[in-house]
Structures are given as structure tokens and as C-alpha cells.
Amino acid sequence: ACYVKDDAVYFRLDVTDQIVRPAKGDEIPLAFRYDCLELFVDSRTGAALGSTVDFGADQVIVPAVDSRVIGESPLWYAKRDDRHIEVEAVGRRTAEGWMLEGRIVPNAKSALRLRPGSRLMMDFVVDDCDGEKLLRKSMMAVHGSQNNNSNVAGWGRYELGL
């Protein structure tokens, strides 16, 4: 689920998963090999929106939280110093797998303003890992494909309403 309120885009993700195996510690930059959300946001405007992955198109890795108690997810930004969004996310294990809730806030570098009629592109990719030797068994994208990190063409197109 996804909605916009005030200065942020909010999301909630519920994942059915029998084995919850998120990246930990120094594995966080490779969290896409484990249980995680790969969040893609293109906050550019005009002709630049939806063009090649470049300045203004961000990827954030949001690892699953391996606890029954809600906790903060340790994020990893593909473009740490040049990012156009700030993300906060919390999550926990559930009876069926795991869940994440978060917010996406355009920062001062972003051309995106969260008001009616504004457009952005996003995709949510869930990566699944079930064993130590079988890293990233599968991935499921809401809109795009396994090429999201290099091609925005498949990301979902969103226009903000009232």
C-alpha cells in the first residue's frame, strides 16, 4: 500500500516468507542478495523523468527486520552523497513472514514537490533468500524487472491526486 500525506510518500509492505534471512552488519551493501525491499524512486521532472538511470533516480535497499519487535531497518543508498530522497523504515517479523513500513521524503536536491498533479516513477522489488548458499533465490517486482538498477523504463508511473 502507498499514500501521500503532507511532505512524504508512505508505504507498507507485507511479505509472505517461510524463512526470513536479512543481511546483517557488513552484508548491508549486498542486502539485495537477502530478504529485503529494493525501493526505486525517480523524482526528476519533465523530459528527464523516466530517462536513463542518472542524477535524480534513486535506489534504496531496505533489509527485512529479523525480530518480532518492531525495529528500524538499516538502509543502504546506492547514491549516498547524491541521493534525492530520504527514507525511514521500520519492520518486524510476522506470522506469515515480514513487514516494512516507511516514508519517502524528497530532499533539497529533488525536483519533486508532493502536490496534486506532481509525477514520479517508483518500483518496489522484494528479494528473497532462503539459505546460506542460495543467496537471492527470487525477486518480485511490482512494475519493473531485474534490470531496475540500470533501466527505469519499467518503473511504475504515478501522478499525485488531491
Side-chain angles (χ1 to χ4, degrees):
C2 208
Y3 69 95
V4 177
K5 182 177 180 189
D6 301 325
D7 64 342
V9 176
Y10 292 84
F11 66 89
R12 179 179 170 117
L13 176 74
D14 289 284
V15 178
T16 301
D17 191 357
Q18 295 173 342
I19 300 171
V20 179
R21 186 173 159 74
K24 293 183 168 83
D26 60 354
E27 299 169 329
I28 298 297
L30 299 174
F32 62 89
R33 293 177 164 179
Y34 299 86
D35 289 345
C36 74
L37 164 66
E38 291 185 66
L39 175 63
F40 296 90
V41 179
D42 186 348
S43 63
R44 299 172 290 183
T45 60
L49 181 65
S51 61
T52 60
V53 174
D54 200 357
F55 195 70
D58 291 287
Q59 176 185 8
V60 184
I61 306 290
V62 187
V65 175
D66 190 16
S67 171
R68 294 274 181 202
V69 177
I70 200 148
E72 191 173 334
S73 176
L75 307 175
W76 184 83
Y77 291 86
K79 298 177 183 175
R80 283 184 287 271
D81 297 328
D82 289 329
R83 66 182 184 245
H84 288 76
I85 57 171
E86 304 299 329
V87 176
E88 298 171 359
V90 296
R92 67 176 175 83
R93 278 180 169 245
T94 65
E96 297 80 28
W98 52 278
M99 60 76 64
L100 291 169
E101 289 184 349
R103 64 187 228 134
I104 305 162
V105 180
N107 65 23
K109 293 180 186 177
S110 178
L112 177 64
R113 300 296 171 253
L114 299 177
R115 58 181 175 239
S118 293
R119 295 180 179 171
L120 71 152
M121 294 178 71
M122 291 192 301
D123 202 6
F124 299 85
V125 176
V126 174
D127 295 318
D128 184 36
C129 171
D130 284 346
E132 290 183 33
K133 296 184 184 192
L134 185 60
L135 298 178
R136 193 163 67 178
K137 177 185 80 170
S138 62
M139 64 186 301
M140 299 148 282
V142 172
H143 301 286
S145 70
Q146 70 273 12
N147 297 322
N148 272 1
N149 63 328
S150 61
N151 184 355
V152 302
W155 300 7
R157 300 174 193 299
Y158 295 83
E159 182 171 333
L160 304 181
L162 299 175

